[in-house]
Amino acid sequence: MRRVAVKIAYLGDEFVGSQIQPDMRTVEGEVLANITLISGLSEDLIGLRTASRTDRGVNALGNVIVFSTMFDDLVLLKALNAVSKGIFYRSVATVDNEFNPRHADERIYRYVLPATGIDTAKAERCASLFEGEHDFIRFCRADDRSTRMRMNSVKLAKNNDLIVIEFRSEYFLWNMIRRIVASISAVGRGDADIDDVKRALNGEPISFGVARPDALTLTDVVYDNVEFITPSAELFDDRVDEELFRWSLRSAFFNSL
């Protein structure tokens, strides 16, 4: 057997978060069930590991899982996509036995806001405050990790009637992006000002709330020395076509109200 890293995509509202929980439909639970079904291997032999945990409702386009397999790349991705319900297996790379997906060089997230009522210039100035090294204790749900860390970049752009914010860092704290977005949105709407955010970054006990989860997407997990390969551009065309058709039906319904 060999160890492989596979990039996966999913819509967060189809799962109760990513981490396995008893009697709950989770991303890791679905992935493990898919691998077990096509391989017949035990959970211990599969040795599933995940790069990033995502909260309930949060989406992913490029989360990474690592496990052991006997299949070659094309057969593996085809088989997994054939049995999957809600997970899209996008690309694959061979890794060594010591590879830990948690040790990524960078994680990239995207958050989308409706632009209506938001002053883009103010929101952009607010977003820039979070770049560099800070203590993010007022912008996360604390766990056992240090809240002092470095944010590589926060880029905000208006795209028609949407505001798209991209976050890049080696890792992120629990609820961190959604709390930061809540502050950016508050400043852009005029419900808070830049000084309020600066004071929170300096440790004052100021909360701006938590933004909704379904507008947040983990777009990629980057490893400088790992090359992912997509063996076929048609891995899940039929599934995508069906989902797009279903969404077009829903769109037509709501546009007719």
Side-chain angles (χ1 to χ4, degrees), residues 189-208:
R189 294 193 313 267
D191 297 331
D193 59 41
I194 294 288
D195 286 340
D196 295 326
V197 177
K198 289 179 179 178
R199 286 161 48 214
L201 275 172
N202 286 329
E204 291 192 35
I206 301 172
S207 174
F208 302 91

CSV table of all heavy atoms in Angstrom, one decimal, residues 189-208:
chain,number,residue,atom,x,y,z
A,189,ARG,N,-20.8,48.8,7.2
A,189,ARG,CA,-22.2,49.3,7.4
A,189,ARG,C,-22.4,50.5,8.2
A,189,ARG,O,-23.4,51.1,8.3
A,189,ARG,CB,-23.1,48.2,8.0
A,189,ARG,CG,-23.2,46.9,7.1
A,189,ARG,CD,-24.4,46.0,7.7
A,189,ARG,NE,-24.2,45.9,9.2
A,189,ARG,CZ,-23.6,44.9,9.8
A,189,ARG,NH1,-23.0,44.0,9.0
A,189,ARG,NH2,-23.5,44.8,11.1
A,190,GLY,N,-21.3,50.9,8.9
A,190,GLY,CA,-21.3,52.1,9.8
A,190,GLY,C,-21.8,51.7,11.2
A,190,GLY,O,-22.0,52.6,12.0
A,191,ASP,N,-21.9,50.4,11.6
A,191,ASP,CA,-22.3,50.0,12.9
A,191,ASP,C,-21.1,50.1,13.9
A,191,ASP,O,-21.3,49.9,15.1
A,191,ASP,CB,-22.9,48.7,12.9
A,191,ASP,CG,-24.2,48.6,12.0
A,191,ASP,OD1,-24.9,49.7,12.0
A,191,ASP,OD2,-24.5,47.6,11.5
A,192,ALA,N,-19.9,50.1,13.4
A,192,ALA,CA,-18.7,50.2,14.2
A,192,ALA,C,-17.7,51.0,13.4
A,192,ALA,O,-17.9,51.3,12.2
A,192,ALA,CB,-18.1,48.8,14.5
A,193,ASP,N,-16.6,51.5,14.0
A,193,ASP,CA,-15.6,52.2,13.3
A,193,ASP,C,-14.3,51.5,13.4
A,193,ASP,O,-14.1,50.6,14.2
A,193,ASP,CB,-15.5,53.7,13.7
A,193,ASP,CG,-15.3,53.9,15.2
A,193,ASP,OD1,-14.4,53.1,15.7
A,193,ASP,OD2,-15.9,54.8,15.8
A,194,ILE,N,-13.3,52.0,12.6
A,194,ILE,CA,-12.0,51.4,12.6
A,194,ILE,C,-11.3,51.4,14.0
A,194,ILE,O,-10.7,50.4,14.3
A,194,ILE,CB,-11.1,52.2,11.6
A,194,ILE,CG1,-11.6,52.1,10.2
A,194,ILE,CG2,-9.6,51.7,11.7
A,194,ILE,CD1,-11.4,50.7,9.6
A,195,ASP,N,-11.5,52.4,14.8
A,195,ASP,CA,-10.9,52.5,16.1
A,195,ASP,C,-11.4,51.4,17.0
A,195,ASP,O,-10.7,50.8,17.8
A,195,ASP,CB,-11.2,53.8,16.8
A,195,ASP,CG,-10.3,55.0,16.2
A,195,ASP,OD1,-9.3,54.6,15.5
A,195,ASP,OD2,-10.7,56.1,16.3
A,196,ASP,N,-12.7,51.0,16.8
A,196,ASP,CA,-13.3,49.9,17.6
A,196,ASP,C,-12.5,48.6,17.3
A,196,ASP,O,-12.2,47.8,18.2
A,196,ASP,CB,-14.7,49.7,17.3
A,196,ASP,CG,-15.6,50.8,17.7
A,196,ASP,OD1,-15.3,51.5,18.7
A,196,ASP,OD2,-16.6,51.1,17.0
A,197,VAL,N,-12.2,48.4,16.0
A,197,VAL,CA,-11.5,47.2,15.6
A,197,VAL,C,-10.0,47.2,16.1
A,197,VAL,O,-9.5,46.2,16.6
A,197,VAL,CB,-11.5,47.0,14.1
A,197,VAL,CG1,-10.7,45.8,13.7
A,197,VAL,CG2,-12.9,46.9,13.6
A,198,LYS,N,-9.4,48.4,16.1
A,198,LYS,CA,-8.0,48.5,16.6
A,198,LYS,C,-8.0,48.2,18.1
A,198,LYS,O,-7.1,47.5,18.5
A,198,LYS,CB,-7.5,49.9,16.3
A,198,LYS,CG,-7.2,50.2,14.8
A,198,LYS,CD,-6.7,51.6,14.7
A,198,LYS,CE,-6.4,52.0,13.2
A,198,LYS,NZ,-6.0,53.4,13.0
A,199,ARG,N,-9.0,48.7,18.8
A,199,ARG,CA,-9.0,48.5,20.2
A,199,ARG,C,-9.2,47.0,20.5
A,199,ARG,O,-8.5,46.4,21.4
A,199,ARG,CB,-10.1,49.3,20.9
A,199,ARG,CG,-9.8,50.8,21.0
A,199,ARG,CD,-11.0,51.6,21.2
A,199,ARG,NE,-11.9,51.1,22.2
A,199,ARG,CZ,-13.2,51.2,22.2
A,199,ARG,NH1,-13.8,51.8,21.2
A,199,ARG,NH2,-13.9,50.7,23.2
A,200,ALA,N,-10.0,46.3,19.8
A,200,ALA,CA,-10.2,44.8,19.9
A,200,ALA,C,-8.9,44.1,19.6
A,200,ALA,O,-8.5,43.2,20.4
A,200,ALA,CB,-11.3,44.3,19.1
A,201,LEU,N,-8.2,44.5,18.6
A,201,LEU,CA,-6.9,43.9,18.3
A,201,LEU,C,-5.9,44.2,19.4
A,201,LEU,O,-4.9,43.4,19.5
A,201,LEU,CB,-6.4,44.4,16.9
A,201,LEU,CG,-6.9,43.7,15.7
A,201,LEU,CD1,-6.4,44.4,14.4
A,201,LEU,CD2,-6.4,42.2,15.7
A,202,ASN,N,-6.1,45.2,20.1
A,202,ASN,CA,-5.2,45.5,21.2
A,202,ASN,C,-5.6,44.8,22.5
A,202,ASN,O,-5.0,45.1,23.6
A,202,ASN,CB,-5.1,47.0,21.5
A,202,ASN,CG,-4.2,47.7,20.4
A,202,ASN,OD1,-3.3,47.1,19.8
A,202,ASN,ND2,-4.6,49.0,20.1
A,203,GLY,N,-6.6,44.0,22.4
A,203,GLY,CA,-7.0,43.2,23.6
A,203,GLY,C,-8.3,43.6,24.3
A,203,GLY,O,-8.7,42.9,25.3
A,204,GLU,N,-8.8,44.8,24.0
A,204,GLU,CA,-10.0,45.2,24.7
A,204,GLU,C,-11.2,44.2,24.4
A,204,GLU,O,-11.3,43.7,23.3
A,204,GLU,CB,-10.4,46.6,24.3
A,204,GLU,CG,-9.5,47.7,24.8
A,204,GLU,CD,-10.0,49.1,24.6
A,204,GLU,OE1,-11.2,49.3,24.7
A,204,GLU,OE2,-9.2,50.0,24.3
A,205,PRO,N,-12.0,44.0,25.4
A,205,PRO,CA,-13.1,43.0,25.3
A,205,PRO,C,-14.3,43.5,24.5
A,205,PRO,O,-15.4,43.8,25.0
A,205,PRO,CB,-13.5,42.7,26.7
A,205,PRO,CG,-13.2,44.0,27.5
A,205,PRO,CD,-11.9,44.5,26.8
A,206,ILE,N,-14.1,43.6,23.1
A,206,ILE,CA,-15.1,44.1,22.2
A,206,ILE,C,-15.4,42.9,21.3
A,206,ILE,O,-14.5,42.3,20.7
A,206,ILE,CB,-14.6,45.3,21.4
A,206,ILE,CG1,-14.2,46.4,22.3
A,206,ILE,CG2,-15.6,45.7,20.4
A,206,ILE,CD1,-13.5,47.6,21.6
A,207,SER,N,-16.7,42.7,21.1
A,207,SER,CA,-17.1,41.6,20.2
A,207,SER,C,-18.0,42.2,19.1
A,207,SER,O,-18.9,43.0,19.3
A,207,SER,CB,-17.9,40.5,21.0
A,207,SER,OG,-18.5,39.6,20.1
A,208,PHE,N,-17.8,41.7,17.9
A,208,PHE,CA,-18.6,42.1,16.7
A,208,PHE,C,-19.6,41.0,16.3
A,208,PHE,O,-20.2,41.2,15.2
A,208,PHE,CB,-17.7,42.6,15.6
A,208,PHE,CG,-16.7,43.6,16.0
A,208,PHE,CD1,-15.5,43.3,16.5
A,208,PHE,CD2,-17.1,45.0,15.9
A,208,PHE,CE1,-14.6,44.3,16.8
A,208,PHE,CE2,-16.2,46.0,16.2
A,208,PHE,CZ,-14.9,45.7,16.7
